[in-house]
Amino acid sequence: EPEKGQAQTRQLQALVARELARAGGQPLVLVTHQVNITAYVGESVAVGEMILVRTDAQGRALSHRRLPGPRP
């Protein structure tokens, strides 16, 4: 439901902020779908790719780096 995209991205930011505060410096690993990743970092990903995201304390994406998926 595209009309819910912005609200869902704000909810993701809040989740990331909460979990990072609770994790005490440990990395946070989330698994989701391409559409959610695109909304969060502003860039599409290919099948099997990973995105490492640096965030601020409010869970907003500041920068990211793509990691390629497995090679056939």
Side-chain angles (χ1 to χ4, degrees):
E1 299 178 56
E3 66 277 359
K4 293 183 180 180
Q6 289 182 345
Q8 289 175 331
T9 299
R10 285 191 302 274
Q11 290 170 347
L12 173 61
Q13 290 171 345
L15 170 79
V16 169
R18 269 193 319 272
E19 293 302 317
L20 287 175
R22 189 181 329 190
Q26 294 296 313
L28 175 63
V29 177
L30 301 175
V31 178
T32 189
H33 297 279
Q34 176 271 332
V35 67
N36 301 321
I37 295 168
T38 300
Y40 190 55
V41 300
E43 186 174 344
S44 185
V45 295
V47 173
E49 276 189 319
M50 291 187 289
I51 301 285
L52 296 178
V53 182
R54 189 171 68 92
T55 67
D56 63 15
Q58 290 75 41
R60 294 180 296 231
L62 298 175
S63 64
H64 65 277
R65 187 175 80 173
R66 298 169 74 118
L67 298 174
R71 305 278 181 219

